[in-house]
Amino acid sequence: MRSRIIAPLGGTRGIMGEQLNPAQTQEILHIEGLTHDGRGVARHAGKTVFVSGALPGEDVGIRLLRSHPRHDEAAVTTIVQASPERVSPLCPHFGACGGCALQHLTPAAQLAAHARRLEETLRRIGKSTARRWLPPVESAPWGYRSRARLAVRREPTSGAILVGFRREESAHLEPLEHCPVLVPALAPLPAELRCGLERLSGPAIPHEIWLAAGDEGIGIGFCFRQTVGEAERAQLQALGAALGAQIGFGTQASREPPRWESPPPQLHYSPEEGTTLAFAPWDFTQANRVVNRHLLSSVLELLAPGPEDQVLDLFCGIGNFTVPLARRAAAVLGVESSAQHLDVARENARRNGIGNCSFERADLFSVEGVAALPRNRYRLAVLDPPRAGAAAVCKQARALGLRGIAYVSCDTATLARDAALLREGGFKLQGAGVLDMFPHTAHAESVALFTR
Ligand SMILES: C[S@@+](CC[C@H](N)C(=O)[O-])C[C@H]1O[C@@H](n2cnc3c(N)ncnc32)[C@H](O)[C@@H]1O
């Protein structure tokens, strides 16, 4: 442990924009690691200190933000010794906006950190190590993200409209004009939408705006707390037309998912040559289309479905894996909890001339939902759950008669937990690797193959 106390420095903001308490004593700490959410990790006085804005290997001046019984939270005030992997963040909103946590680290080092974390978490929590580590899949660092959810707020005093991103679990909205991780068709929309909303004549404004880009064209979903009147709709339709976007309206009264009044999906993307999938701005699609193509090839290569195989595609969404799997396998069953996604998936199978896949609605987080799946008919499965993971499926994978599972994960911790469950069921971790689906953010995408 290397740390010492020095005299306080001035200033009321850390380098990540946090509010600092000038009365706090300034210290210099040596940063030993990086948390999953991009904070440096140091040890001081027998406690772990999470330091936002700090990178492994650095010596940094810090100020304490919050103290907890077993750890402290701090912010960087000065960098005494910088990491060779430190770069200047491109975006002026870095630190204040909730979107990116790692813009101060080179993209190569970000990906290496995700790969180390995958290996370490699988070993520690999953009690597993892969027989083969797949080469990490890189992404273009900017202009890669093809969907986003913007928050909207009206300033109570000035009446000004703010459009931007909200930090996770925080009410703070960082107003943006332009977002450099969004694909070029979406990047300038925060400012353009703000200008358009300022011209609305009625009092109602959406609280969220969902954006998505297809291979051609963009879509915008305006989500309101209550149903909006015809006059506002007409104005927003006109705004959408001026921006060249397909428009939809949603209502979200509480924390429930919004209810969208769906016109038929008019955006399209291609997960592989020869397959085109339609979707609406509010449907789940993988955020990075280029990396999605690599993800699909990894899944197909790892699982290697042949013309005799029947395959389960669990958490199938709009058919991103289902349709390509059905081109190679005897039959595919796509399972999903969203009726809206299933409708789109069925239509996607039909429009691609696929006759050997079917779809079922089920809650795959529930033991009963999984237990109702057919047993011993499907030997191969793709699992692509949300961040909560797929514990109920993994507990019953053996009983279902599965022999090979390609697990696509957007949360390393739940993947590792599920790897332990699969291990108990007699599955072995054959291969695993990371994909840079969301450069600069703390999120890591990974894929793993388990066989029994
Ligand atoms: C990460 S997305 C994957 C979608 C698809 N595989 C793809 O690549 O586009 C997870 C999917 O799980 C679905 N989902 C969420 N909770 C679920 C549940 N409890 N049971 C079944 N599906 C669920 C979501 O609707 C979403 O489509």
Side-chain angles (χ1 to χ4, degrees):
M1 181 181 80
R2 285 168 51 195
S3 64
R4 67 194 167 92
I5 301 196
I6 61 163
L9 299 179
T12 57
R13 295 244 168 213
I15 64 165
M16 303 285 282
E18 312 86 333
Q19 192 65 48
L20 303 175
N21 177 358
Q24 291 287 349
T25 305
Q26 165 98 22
E27 305 190 9
I28 290 187
L29 300 186
H30 181 69
I31 305 298
E32 294 166 10
L34 194 67
T35 61
H36 72 283
D37 60 359
R39 291 181 293 171
V41 183
R43 301 279 306 161
H44 176 63
K47 262 179 155 183
T48 303
V49 189
F50 298 116
V51 187
S52 54
L55 294 174
E58 293 188 327
D59 291 329
V60 294
I62 62 130
R63 283 239 176 79
L64 198 64
L65 296 175
R66 275 171 291 276
S67 194
H68 305 273
R70 297 174 70 172
H71 73 271
D72 289 337
E73 293 177 64
V76 170
T77 50
T78 43
I79 299 166
V80 178
Q81 177 71 50
S83 161
E85 286 160 340
R86 176 175 283 278
V87 285
S88 294
L90 180 85
C91 178
H93 302 283
F94 176 63
C97 162
C100 294
L102 293 170
Q103 277 191 25
H104 55 321
L105 187 59
T106 62
Q110 291 175 27
L111 193 54
H114 291 321
R116 270 196 307 276
R117 190 173 135 73
L118 175 69
E119 208 175 320
E120 191 269 322
T121 315
L122 280 171
R123 188 168 10 89
R124 187 168 46 83
I125 302 174
K127 309 284 175 244
S128 316
T129 186
R131 289 198 173 161
R132 179 163 75 103
W133 292 104
L134 309 175
V137 172
E138 292 174 10
S139 163
W142 305 106
Y144 66 83
R145 195 180 168 96
S146 58
R147 65 190 182 90
R149 258 163 75 178
L150 298 171
V152 184
R153 189 158 61 82
R154 195 193 295 277
E155 277 284 20
T157 39
S158 65
I161 305 268
L162 307 181
V163 175
F165 288 117
R166 204 167 261 143
R167 269 181 199 263
E168 224 164 300
E169 289 165 23
S170 151
H172 172 78
L173 185 161
E174 175 70 9
L176 302 175
E177 295 285 291
H178 179 274
C179 171
V181 302
L182 295 181
V183 293
L186 301 181
L189 283 188
E192 288 170 6
L193 285 162
R194 177 181 51 74
C195 292
L197 293 177
E198 277 167 355
R199 288 196 296 271
L200 287 187
S201 54
I205 55 160
H207 69 283
E208 270 190 358
I209 303 178
W210 296 39
L211 306 177
D215 288 347
E216 285 162 18
I218 61 171
I220 301 176
F222 293 106
C223 189
F224 287 83
R225 289 283 179 215
Q226 62 263 50
T227 318
V228 269
E230 282 310 315
E232 273 130 335
R233 278 169 189 255
Q235 288 176 343
L236 290 170
Q237 289 286 5
L239 173 60
L243 296 171
Q246 169 198 342
I247 295 292
F249 295 98
T251 21
Q252 186 181 30
S254 62
R255 293 183 77 92
E256 292 290 298
R259 295 168 65 85
W260 294 101
E261 296 165 28
S262 313
Q266 289 161 21
L267 301 173
H268 300 94
Y269 75 96
S270 170
E272 66 173 349
E273 207 56 44
T275 297
T276 300
L277 303 179
F279 68 101
W282 39 87
D283 292 329
F284 177 91
T285 51
Q286 303 286 352
N288 185 326
R289 302 264 191 266
V290 178
V291 172
N292 181 49
R293 280 187 163 225
H294 289 285
L295 175 63
L296 173 62
S297 339
S298 295
V299 165
L300 295 173
E301 193 194 310
L302 290 170
L303 210 57
E308 309 294 311
D309 290 317
Q310 309 228 25
V311 187
L312 276 178
D313 181 12
L314 302 181
F315 306 91
C316 68
I318 62 154
N320 183 48
F321 300 121
T322 330
V323 171
L325 285 166
R327 293 199 189 284
R328 291 151 174 94
V332 184
L333 173 64
V335 185
E336 186 25 88
S337 62
S338 155
Q340 180 183 299
H341 284 163
L342 288 169
D343 286 346
V344 180
R346 286 191 188 96
E347 182 54 24
N348 277 330
R350 194 199 58 74
R351 66 162 50 229
N352 282 279
I354 301 289
N356 61 339
C357 67
S358 49
F359 294 92
E360 256 180 51
R361 190 171 180 196
D363 175 4
L364 295 172
F365 290 164
S366 86
V367 175
E368 300 75 25
V370 177
L373 294 173
R375 294 191 174 211
N376 297 318
R377 188 185 315 160
Y378 298 91
R379 299 288 172 192
L380 302 180
V382 175
L383 270 187
D384 182 15
R387 275 192 230 165
V393 175
C394 293
K395 280 184 194 155
Q396 298 181 66
R398 187 189 183 118
L400 290 172
L402 296 176
R403 305 206 70 89
I405 299 173
Y407 191 133
V408 176
S409 162
C410 55
D411 186 297
T412 311
T414 54
L415 168 65
R417 178 205 62 198
D418 292 347
L421 296 172
L422 288 170
R423 193 168 173 271
E424 283 165 25
F427 288 84
K428 286 206 162 55
L429 177 58
Q430 298 295 348
V434 289
L435 303 98
D436 211 3
M437 184 72 90
F438 324 96
H440 309 299
T441 74
H443 300 293
E445 186 84 358
S446 40
V447 61
L449 176 73
F450 297 88
T451 62
R452 195 166 72 81

